[in-house]
Amino acid sequence: MRLKVMVSEALVLALAAIAGAAAFAGDRSSQSSSGSMAGMHMQGATTHSAAAVTASDLRALLGRQFGEHAVLAMNATNAGVSGSPTFPTIAKALDANSVAISKSIGSVYGAGAAKTFLDGKFTWRDHIRFFVAYTTALAKHDKAGQAKAVANLKRYTVVFGNFLATATGLPKLAVQNDLLGHVLELKNQLDAYAGKRYAKAASAYTAAYGHMFMTADLVAGAIAKQKNLKP
């Protein structure tokens, strides 16, 4: 058990280092398989090249990016709780995906929104850090640590939900509930995996992945309506 705890603590430090380095590697990170909407130029009144972009394009892109987020997040926490040496590599891919999503948001709402999305207090990267904290506490059987991480994740659903709702015009409660569903699905998957209930973990994994496409539809639909995108 002590070895697992030591490994988990090292993994937290590894993720922190990766997250810090990513701030200096944004352009390189955008070359990940996630893609981006950098060429869409839909911010404000600059819509001259948005005509070629359809609501379906946007939905497909965000579905791919959000789905990749769920897969990488679950792979990372599973690796973390089991003390796998693969964690740093997965965490690096997860952060590259986070940067790619922020660039997609920024291509619609601007660089300031992209920065807030990615690095604001209780926004995207923070929720990943909270999951790492939960993973570490779970490996240590630290109930207080788990409770603190869950409380932070719930706070994230409110703060980040408000941010997304304000940007897209979606109802705040609807966005908050969608984010809460995502958080609980990832938590349930990790709990089942850590408890070696692998059939339940696999079912939760599939559900969490599928949910992200519903989230993408929600966000993409709101953006398409705002920007008058063709179907």
Side-chain angles (χ1 to χ4, degrees):
M1 177 55 67
R2 179 59 184 163
L3 177 60
K4 180 180 285 189
V5 170
M6 292 174 64
V7 171
S8 297
E9 290 172 343
L11 296 179
V12 174
L13 293 174
L15 182 57
I18 290 165
F24 299 96
D27 291 340
R28 185 171 297 176
S29 296
S30 68
Q31 303 301 316
S32 76
S33 61
S34 300
S36 75
M37 296 192 295
M40 293 176 68
H41 303 300
M42 295 197 298
Q43 181 188 357
T46 310
T47 58
H48 61 277
S49 32
V53 178
T54 68
S56 296
D57 293 334
L58 180 59
R59 185 174 294 108
L61 173 63
L62 291 182
R64 184 171 72 251
Q65 290 180 326
F66 285 177
E68 184 179 77
H69 160 72
V71 166
L72 291 170
M74 289 184 288
N75 289 354
T77 55
N78 289 350
V81 80
S82 63
S84 170
T86 63
F87 177 87
T89 299
I90 302 170
K92 186 174 182 179
L94 176 60
D95 196 73
N97 165 260
S98 298
V99 172
I101 297 174
S102 76
K103 286 180 178 292
S104 290
I105 296 300
S107 70
V108 178
Y109 296 112
K115 182 172 178 58
T116 299
F117 177 98
L118 188 62
D119 289 320
K121 190 172 179 61
F122 286 98
T123 61
W124 194 263
R125 270 184 176 148
D126 266 1
H127 100 286
I128 294 174
R129 294 184 184 105
F130 299 149
F131 264 114
V132 172
Y134 182 81
T135 302
T136 303
L138 188 62
K140 293 180 178 180
H141 302 284
D142 175 7
K143 297 296 184 183
Q146 292 174 53
K148 181 179 179 180
V150 169
N152 281 332
L153 284 165
K154 288 182 177 178
R155 177 64 177 159
Y156 151 80
T157 68
V158 174
V159 174
F160 190 62
N162 289 347
F163 166 77
L164 282 183
T166 300
T168 61
L170 287 165
K172 288 183 179 181
L173 186 59
V175 179
Q176 291 168 3
N177 286 340
D178 184 82
L179 293 173
L180 180 60
H182 167 64
V183 164
L184 292 177
E185 285 168 346
L186 264 60
K187 176 184 177 299
N188 291 340
Q189 190 280 330
L190 178 58
D191 288 342
Y193 184 87
K196 299 184 179 180
R197 300 186 300 275
Y198 296 125
K200 184 175 181 179
S203 177
Y205 192 106
T206 301
Y209 174 69
H211 181 180
M212 295 311 291
F213 289 88
M214 293 188 286
T215 300
D217 285 349
L218 185 71
V219 174
I223 293 174
K225 184 177 180 180
Q226 280 184 330
K227 304 301 178 181
N228 297 315
L229 300 184
K230 294 181 180 179

